[in-house]
PDB file of all heavy atoms in Angstrom:
ATOM      1  N   LEU A 167      72.434  45.720  79.261  1.00 86.00           N
ATOM      2  CA  LEU A 167      73.098  44.622  79.956  1.00 86.00           C
ATOM      3  C   LEU A 167      72.791  44.675  81.460  1.00 86.00           C
ATOM      4  O   LEU A 167      73.657  44.974  82.287  1.00 86.00           O
ATOM      5  CB  LEU A 167      74.608  44.688  79.716  1.00 86.00           C
ATOM      6  CG  LEU A 167      75.088  44.175  78.367  1.00 86.00           C
ATOM      7  CD1 LEU A 167      76.584  44.416  78.210  1.00 86.00           C
ATOM      8  CD2 LEU A 167      74.772  42.701  78.206  1.00 86.00           C
ATOM      9  N   VAL A 172      73.484  39.228  82.595  1.00 96.00           N
ATOM     10  CA  VAL A 172      74.889  38.815  82.667  1.00 96.00           C
ATOM     11  C   VAL A 172      75.006  37.528  83.481  1.00 96.00           C
ATOM     12  O   VAL A 172      75.701  36.579  83.085  1.00 96.00           O
ATOM     13  CB  VAL A 172      75.755  39.930  83.285  1.00 96.00           C
ATOM     14  CG1 VAL A 172      77.204  39.466  83.412  1.00 96.00           C
ATOM     15  CG2 VAL A 172      75.685  41.201  82.434  1.00 96.00           C
ATOM     16  N   ALA A 200      81.893  30.390  74.691  1.00 98.00           N
ATOM     17  CA  ALA A 200      81.449  31.763  74.428  1.00 98.00           C
ATOM     18  C   ALA A 200      80.982  32.423  75.733  1.00 98.00           C
ATOM     19  O   ALA A 200      81.294  33.593  75.992  1.00 98.00           O
ATOM     20  CB  ALA A 200      80.320  31.762  73.400  1.00 98.00           C
ATOM     21  N   ALA A 201      80.248  31.679  76.534  1.00 98.00           N
ATOM     22  CA  ALA A 201      79.798  32.210  77.822  1.00 98.00           C
ATOM     23  C   ALA A 201      80.986  32.476  78.738  1.00 98.00           C
ATOM     24  O   ALA A 201      81.035  33.496  79.439  1.00 98.00           O
ATOM     25  CB  ALA A 201      78.826  31.231  78.483  1.00 98.00           C
ATOM     26  N   LEU A 202      81.961  31.571  78.723  1.00 98.00           N
ATOM     27  CA  LEU A 202      83.158  31.749  79.549  1.00 98.00           C
ATOM     28  C   LEU A 202      83.896  33.022  79.160  1.00 98.00           C
ATOM     29  O   LEU A 202      84.323  33.795  80.039  1.00 98.00           O
ATOM     30  CB  LEU A 202      84.062  30.523  79.401  1.00 98.00           C
ATOM     31  CG  LEU A 202      85.230  30.373  80.386  1.00 98.00           C
ATOM     32  CD1 LEU A 202      85.626  28.901  80.500  1.00 98.00           C
ATOM     33  CD2 LEU A 202      86.446  31.186  79.942  1.00 98.00           C
ATOM     34  N   ALA A 203      84.067  33.266  77.867  1.00 98.00           N
ATOM     35  CA  ALA A 203      84.762  34.473  77.402  1.00 98.00           C
ATOM     36  C   ALA A 203      84.008  35.733  77.820  1.00 98.00           C
ATOM     37  O   ALA A 203      84.617  36.744  78.200  1.00 98.00           O
ATOM     38  CB  ALA A 203      84.915  34.431  75.880  1.00 98.00           C
ATOM     39  N   PHE A 204      82.687  35.675  77.767  1.00 98.00           N
ATOM     40  CA  PHE A 204      81.860  36.812  78.175  1.00 98.00           C
ATOM     41  C   PHE A 204      82.034  37.099  79.663  1.00 98.00           C
ATOM     42  O   PHE A 204      82.230  38.254  80.068  1.00 98.00           O
ATOM     43  CB  PHE A 204      80.398  36.500  77.859  1.00 98.00           C
ATOM     44  CG  PHE A 204      79.426  37.602  78.184  1.00 98.00           C
ATOM     45  CD1 PHE A 204      79.230  38.658  77.309  1.00 98.00           C
ATOM     46  CD2 PHE A 204      78.691  37.573  79.364  1.00 98.00           C
ATOM     47  CE1 PHE A 204      78.325  39.678  77.607  1.00 98.00           C
ATOM     48  CE2 PHE A 204      77.790  38.583  79.670  1.00 98.00           C
ATOM     49  CZ  PHE A 204      77.608  39.637  78.792  1.00 98.00           C
ATOM     50  N   ILE A 205      81.984  36.064  80.484  1.00 98.00           N
ATOM     51  CA  ILE A 205      82.129  36.238  81.933  1.00 98.00           C
ATOM     52  C   ILE A 205      83.558  36.650  82.288  1.00 98.00           C
ATOM     53  O   ILE A 205      83.781  37.399  83.246  1.00 98.00           O
ATOM     54  CB  ILE A 205      81.728  34.955  82.675  1.00 98.00           C
ATOM     55  CG1 ILE A 205      80.234  34.671  82.467  1.00 98.00           C
ATOM     56  CG2 ILE A 205      82.033  35.064  84.166  1.00 98.00           C
ATOM     57  CD1 ILE A 205      79.295  35.756  82.978  1.00 98.00           C
ATOM     58  N   GLN A 206      84.539  36.195  81.505  1.00 98.00           N
ATOM     59  CA  GLN A 206      85.922  36.606  81.750  1.00 98.00           C
ATOM     60  C   GLN A 206      86.064  38.121  81.592  1.00 98.00           C
ATOM     61  O   GLN A 206      86.763  38.775  82.371  1.00 98.00           O
ATOM     62  CB  GLN A 206      86.869  35.891  80.795  1.00 98.00           C
ATOM     63  CG  GLN A 206      88.344  36.210  81.056  1.00 98.00           C
ATOM     64  CD  GLN A 206      89.269  35.291  80.288  1.00 98.00           C
ATOM     65  OE1 GLN A 206      88.956  34.885  79.160  1.00 98.00           O
ATOM     66  NE2 GLN A 206      90.391  34.946  80.886  1.00 98.00           N
ATOM     67  N   HIS A 207      85.393  38.681  80.593  1.00 97.00           N
ATOM     68  CA  HIS A 207      85.402  40.128  80.403  1.00 97.00           C
ATOM     69  C   HIS A 207      84.836  40.828  81.629  1.00 97.00           C
ATOM     70  O   HIS A 207      85.415  41.810  82.135  1.00 97.00           O
ATOM     71  CB  HIS A 207      84.573  40.484  79.165  1.00 97.00           C
ATOM     72  CG  HIS A 207      84.312  41.956  79.012  1.00 97.00           C
ATOM     73  ND1 HIS A 207      85.288  42.849  78.606  1.00 97.00           N
ATOM     74  CD2 HIS A 207      83.185  42.697  79.232  1.00 97.00           C
ATOM     75  CE1 HIS A 207      84.785  44.067  78.583  1.00 97.00           C
ATOM     76  NE2 HIS A 207      83.513  44.001  78.947  1.00 97.00           N
ATOM     77  N   TRP A 208      83.722  40.331  82.150  1.00 97.00           N
ATOM     78  CA  TRP A 208      83.107  40.956  83.323  1.00 97.00           C
ATOM     79  C   TRP A 208      83.932  40.721  84.579  1.00 97.00           C
ATOM     80  O   TRP A 208      83.948  41.564  85.486  1.00 97.00           O
ATOM     81  CB  TRP A 208      81.676  40.430  83.494  1.00 97.00           C
ATOM     82  CG  TRP A 208      80.755  41.086  82.531  1.00 97.00           C
ATOM     83  CD1 TRP A 208      80.426  40.651  81.268  1.00 97.00           C
ATOM     84  CD2 TRP A 208      80.093  42.339  82.702  1.00 97.00           C
ATOM     85  NE1 TRP A 208      79.583  41.550  80.652  1.00 97.00           N
ATOM     86  CE2 TRP A 208      79.365  42.594  81.508  1.00 97.00           C
ATOM     87  CE3 TRP A 208      80.025  43.260  83.741  1.00 97.00           C
ATOM     88  CZ2 TRP A 208      78.593  43.735  81.344  1.00 97.00           C
ATOM     89  CZ3 TRP A 208      79.255  44.398  83.583  1.00 97.00           C
ATOM     90  CH2 TRP A 208      78.550  44.629  82.394  1.00 97.00           C
ATOM     91  N   SER A 209      84.641  39.619  84.644  1.00 97.00           N
ATOM     92  CA  SER A 209      85.515  39.365  85.787  1.00 97.00           C
ATOM     93  C   SER A 209      86.680  40.344  85.810  1.00 97.00           C
ATOM     94  O   SER A 209      87.133  40.770  86.878  1.00 97.00           O
ATOM     95  CB  SER A 209      86.048  37.925  85.734  1.00 97.00           C
ATOM     96  OG  SER A 209      86.870  37.652  86.846  1.00 97.00           O
ATOM     97  N   ASN A 210      87.155  40.714  84.635  1.00 97.00           N
ATOM     98  CA  ASN A 210      88.219  41.723  84.568  1.00 97.00           C
ATOM     99  C   ASN A 210      87.726  43.078  85.059  1.00 97.00           C
ATOM    100  O   ASN A 210      88.467  43.836  85.689  1.00 97.00           O
ATOM    101  CB  ASN A 210      88.728  41.853  83.134  1.00 97.00           C
ATOM    102  CG  ASN A 210      89.461  40.618  82.660  1.00 97.00           C
ATOM    103  OD1 ASN A 210      89.972  39.834  83.463  1.00 97.00           O
ATOM    104  ND2 ASN A 210      89.515  40.410  81.350  1.00 97.00           N
ATOM    105  N   LEU A 211      86.452  43.383  84.772  1.00 96.00           N
ATOM    106  CA  LEU A 211      85.879  44.668  85.168  1.00 96.00           C
ATOM    107  C   LEU A 211      85.461  44.689  86.642  1.00 96.00           C
ATOM    108  O   LEU A 211      85.601  45.715  87.312  1.00 96.00           O
ATOM    109  CB  LEU A 211      84.654  44.981  84.292  1.00 96.00           C
ATOM    110  CG  LEU A 211      84.907  45.199  82.801  1.00 96.00           C
ATOM    111  CD1 LEU A 211      83.579  45.369  82.076  1.00 96.00           C
ATOM    112  CD2 LEU A 211      85.797  46.427  82.578  1.00 96.00           C
ATOM    113  N   ALA A 212      84.931  43.573  87.118  1.00 96.00           N
ATOM    114  CA  ALA A 212      84.397  43.506  88.486  1.00 96.00           C
ATOM    115  C   ALA A 212      84.742  42.162  89.104  1.00 96.00           C
ATOM    116  O   ALA A 212      83.880  41.287  89.235  1.00 96.00           O
ATOM    117  CB  ALA A 212      82.892  43.726  88.478  1.00 96.00           C
ATOM    118  N   PRO A 213      86.005  41.974  89.493  1.00 96.00           N
ATOM    119  CA  PRO A 213      86.434  40.663  89.994  1.00 96.00           C
ATOM    120  C   PRO A 213      85.688  40.204  91.240  1.00 96.00           C
ATOM    121  O   PRO A 213      85.453  39.006  91.410  1.00 96.00           O
ATOM    122  CB  PRO A 213      87.927  40.863  90.281  1.00 96.00           C
ATOM    123  CG  PRO A 213      88.126  42.342  90.344  1.00 96.00           C
ATOM    124  CD  PRO A 213      87.122  42.929  89.428  1.00 96.00           C
ATOM    125  N   PHE A 216      82.489  38.574  89.845  1.00 98.00           N
ATOM    126  CA  PHE A 216      82.521  37.571  88.788  1.00 98.00           C
ATOM    127  C   PHE A 216      83.695  36.610  88.841  1.00 98.00           C
ATOM    128  O   PHE A 216      83.737  35.662  88.053  1.00 98.00           O
ATOM    129  CB  PHE A 216      82.500  38.271  87.421  1.00 98.00           C
ATOM    130  CG  PHE A 216      81.199  38.961  87.129  1.00 98.00           C
ATOM    131  CD1 PHE A 216      81.056  40.327  87.345  1.00 98.00           C
ATOM    132  CD2 PHE A 216      80.110  38.236  86.652  1.00 98.00           C
ATOM    133  CE1 PHE A 216      79.854  40.960  87.090  1.00 98.00           C
ATOM    134  CE2 PHE A 216      78.911  38.860  86.395  1.00 98.00           C
ATOM    135  CZ  PHE A 216      78.771  40.223  86.617  1.00 98.00           C
ATOM    136  N   LEU A 220      83.739  32.922  86.937  1.00 98.00           N
ATOM    137  CA  LEU A 220      84.721  32.581  85.903  1.00 98.00           C
ATOM    138  C   LEU A 220      85.449  31.292  86.267  1.00 98.00           C
ATOM    139  O   LEU A 220      85.609  30.397  85.425  1.00 98.00           O
ATOM    140  CB  LEU A 220      85.721  33.727  85.745  1.00 98.00           C
ATOM    141  CG  LEU A 220      86.898  33.466  84.803  1.00 98.00           C
ATOM    142  CD1 LEU A 220      86.402  33.221  83.385  1.00 98.00           C
ATOM    143  CD2 LEU A 220      87.882  34.634  84.831  1.00 98.00           C
TER     144      LEU A 220
END
Side-chain angles (χ1 to χ4, degrees):
L167 282 175
V172 177
L202 192 156
F204 182 82
I205 295 299
Q206 184 169 35
H207 170 74
W208 282 91
S209 181
N210 292 337
L211 295 175
F216 292 98
L220 174 62

